Each structure stands twice: as structure tokens, then as C-alpha cells.
Amino acid sequence: MLTFEQVLEIFKDYLETDDEVEVLLTKRGYLRIVWPGDFSFCDDGKLCRTPEELFDLLLEDCQSYYELERTKGVRSLTPEDIRLVKARCRPYLEKRWEAQKK
């Protein structure tokens, strides 16, 4: 069974890289917040009540981060970009499968 701690460990490298995404423990679960650029207010926040919700949300964030990294936000994704982004996200899925086996 997947735990919050496992999810945070799986995405540790991504969370250290992406300065705009932060995950905080609250009384009701983990809250993922997006801080765009140097703004003093958050752009998006979502409460995740289960580890699976947190994993899925961080995987989406991670994928978007890698897509933006590829395109610099100035062009559409090419099939090659999509392939490379999926390849970069695959290790997160593999780590999840490994964690669920334990």
C-alpha cells in the first residue's frame, strides 16, 4: 500500500527542482501549492487526502514541468517531445509500482 511518505520520497528530486511547487502537511491531508514566479500569492492549491491522489497530482505537475522545459513555452509539443517527457516520467511510475509491492 502506497504511503504519503513514499510519494514524497518518489518525487523528492522533482520537488527540489521545481521552485513553483510545494507540498505541505495539513490536518486534513497534504496540500500541493503552486507559487508562480516571484509572486507573493499562490496560483493553485489542491488538498490530497490519499497518497494516490498526491502521486497522480505530482505526476501531472512533473509532466507539465518537463513539457515546459522542452518547449520553453514558445511552441507546441512535438511527438518527440511527448516521447521524451513520457520517458522522464516513467521512473516515477516504476518507483510507485515498487513501493506498492512492499
Side-chain angles (χ1 to χ4, degrees):
M1 184 170 192
L2 193 63
T3 66
F4 282 115
E5 292 76 18
Q6 289 170 322
V7 173
L8 293 173
E9 183 61 32
I10 289 169
F11 286 99
K12 183 179 178 181
D13 63 330
Y14 161 68
L15 290 169
E16 290 173 352
T17 303
D18 190 345
D19 295 334
E20 294 187 355
V21 174
E22 187 173 6
V23 178
L24 304 170
L25 177 60
T26 72
K27 292 179 183 180
R28 298 178 183 199
Y30 278 83
L31 180 64
R32 190 278 275 132
I33 303 171
V34 176
W35 301 93
D38 292 329
F39 293 118
S40 60
F41 55 89
C42 67
D43 182 43
D44 183 30
K46 181 168 182 184
L47 179 65
C48 298
R49 296 178 187 261
T50 68
E52 292 77 15
E53 284 179 327
L54 182 59
F55 181 92
D56 292 344
L57 185 58
L58 289 177
L59 186 62
E60 286 177 27
D61 290 340
C62 187
Q63 180 175 336
S64 295
Y65 178 83
Y66 292 141
E67 288 173 352
L68 188 58
E69 188 178 71
R70 296 275 316 154
T71 66
K72 307 294 186 223
V74 297
R75 63 176 176 82
S76 297
L77 289 166
T78 65
E80 179 67 5
D81 291 330
I82 294 168
R83 186 186 70 73
L84 291 171
V85 167
K86 285 183 179 181
R88 287 191 73 185
C89 290
R90 177 162 295 292
Y92 298 105
L93 291 167
E94 291 170 354
K95 289 178 185 177
R96 177 183 182 166
W97 296 326
E98 289 175 21
Q100 287 178 312
K101 289 179 185 177
K102 294 179 182 180

